[in-house]
Amino acid sequence: MRTIFALALAGVVPAAWAQTPASNPMPDGSSDMYVGLGAVSAPRYQGSGEHRVTALPLVQVQWSNGIFISGMSAGLHLSSNPVLEYGPMVAVLARRSSGGSHDTLGGPFGSLDLSGTQNKPATPAGGTPSRPSVAPPPLEEKAAPTWQRSGNRLAGTETIGARLQAGVFVNYYLTPSLRLTNNLLAGSGRDRHGASWTVGVQHVTRALAPHNSVSLAADLTMVNRSYNESYFGVSLRDTMYSGNMPYAPGGGVRDVAVSARWNLALSPGWMVSSAVRAARLQGDARRSPLVERANNITVSTGLAYRF
């Protein structure tokens, strides 16, 4: 029986970062379910220099008919070949507000105080006060753009709603413990025309020590222009309210990443799952004025019970 536990990052990171659960042959009508609670320290958004810690659910369910739910994604295993896995999948990409991904604390765009950006000198351009008998008031310093005042480059940018993406996965086992993974998803971004393709390699070690297993992975994600324009671009509208320079990125490699996961079985029913992922933005995504840090690290841990 092959089982790869996936921690549900519940919208903090893109769903494609989670590994698709391996096909798990089981008796007809049966299921394999993990449910628990974890915590994750992740960048506020892709390219953010600020991390936040969030409590999140851990969910993975597989049924004997091939249907699975893994965090914020779900799919269907169609292959009966033990070395090839493929099928359709859907995944939720979380809402990104001006405060970050899945942000519930950042105020909506309409609540931002932008009046300071319209301040003008009290003296006409010619240098003569409009009322000579009254000393002109001191010149007010023009307010800094919102992101400079708040330390958040997303401040003032347009919110991108949560998106339901649809696509396919194709995985191939080179050995029983080494598999190539592919996830292709479409439907993200402001206009829902964004698409991403994540290709990677994963190694699963089963007998590192009694009750312990470690999996290692490396992946590369490519995106189209619409994706990059939505999540890394700066429109004229965003420039007006955020202070960032206009930026229109093209498609290409978004990031490369390596990750490791450690599972500790406390009993037949209880498991502790911990993971770390280090990613580096590439190409037009890395050059975006919204990016504060090209290197991002996500750390998570959680306790789950197997039903």
Side-chain angles (χ1 to χ4, degrees):
M1 179 182 293
R2 290 190 300 224
T3 301
I4 298 177
F5 187 88
L7 179 62
L9 295 184
V12 173
V13 294
W17 291 4
Q19 293 290 343
T20 305
S23 179
N24 188 6
M26 59 184 73
D28 289 344
S30 63
S31 64
D32 192 13
M33 177 186 301
Y34 290 90
V35 178
L37 185 66
V40 59
S41 173
R44 185 172 290 276
Y45 62 91
Q46 296 177 67
S48 173
E50 180 183 354
H51 277 62
R52 64 180 176 186
V53 178
T54 310
L56 297 168
L58 287 75
V59 178
Q60 178 163 301
V61 187
Q62 296 187 76
W63 287 271
S64 58
N65 59 6
I67 297 175
F68 65 85
I69 298 174
S70 179
M72 299 297 288
S73 63
L76 173 63
H77 283 282
L78 295 177
S79 175
S80 59
N81 187 333
V83 300
L84 180 65
E85 301 167 345
Y86 62 84
M89 67 179 298
V90 294
V92 175
L93 185 57
R95 169 180 178 269
R96 193 191 76 176
S97 74
S98 58
S101 297
H102 198 58
D103 183 64
T104 57
L105 300 178
F109 166 73
S111 69
L112 295 176
D113 180 9
L114 302 174
S115 58
T117 61
Q118 303 301 318
N119 292 337
K120 297 181 180 180
T123 304
T128 303
S130 57
R131 298 181 61 187
S133 61
V134 180
L139 298 179
E140 296 184 20
E141 182 180 355
K142 189 173 182 179
T146 306
W147 69 264
Q148 292 181 358
R149 296 198 300 269
S150 67
N152 172 21
R153 297 190 186 185
L154 284 185
T157 60
E158 186 177 4
T159 294
I160 305 174
R163 297 291 183 251
L164 178 62
Q165 306 170 96
V168 297
F169 67 91
V170 179
N171 305 324
Y172 181 76
Y173 283 85
L174 300 174
T175 71
S177 60
L178 186 66
R179 71 171 181 169
L180 300 177
T181 61
N182 288 270
N183 292 334
L184 179 63
L185 293 168
S188 58
R190 289 189 176 92
D191 58 5
R192 294 181 171 83
H193 294 160
S196 62
W197 175 31
T198 300
V199 57
V201 59
Q202 182 187 36
H203 185 270
V204 180
T205 302
R206 299 187 180 278
L208 182 65
H211 312 297
N212 287 265
S213 64
V214 173
S215 63
L216 305 175
D219 60 74
L220 176 150
T221 299
M222 290 166 281
V223 298
N224 65 355
R225 177 185 294 274
S226 181
Y227 182 103
N228 262 353
E229 285 183 341
S230 294
Y231 296 99
F232 295 97
V234 180
S235 66
L236 294 179
R237 179 259 179 219
D238 287 346
T239 295
M240 180 181 301
Y241 295 111
S242 71
N244 295 303
M245 295 297 294
Y247 184 64
V253 178
R254 185 193 68 194
D255 62 23
V256 294
V258 293
S259 60
R261 178 174 300 281
W262 169 44
N263 291 335
L264 171 62
L266 302 177
S267 70
W270 289 98
M271 173 193 292
V272 175
S273 182
S274 302
V276 60
R277 183 180 191 272
R280 179 172 176 80
L281 292 173
Q282 303 290 319
D284 283 5
R286 181 174 58 85
R287 290 185 284 269
S288 168
L290 300 179
V291 172
E292 300 167 348
R293 181 178 299 168
N295 298 319
N296 290 146
I297 296 178
T298 300
V299 181
S300 60
T301 188
L303 178 66
Y305 182 76
R306 184 179 187 181
F307 292 89

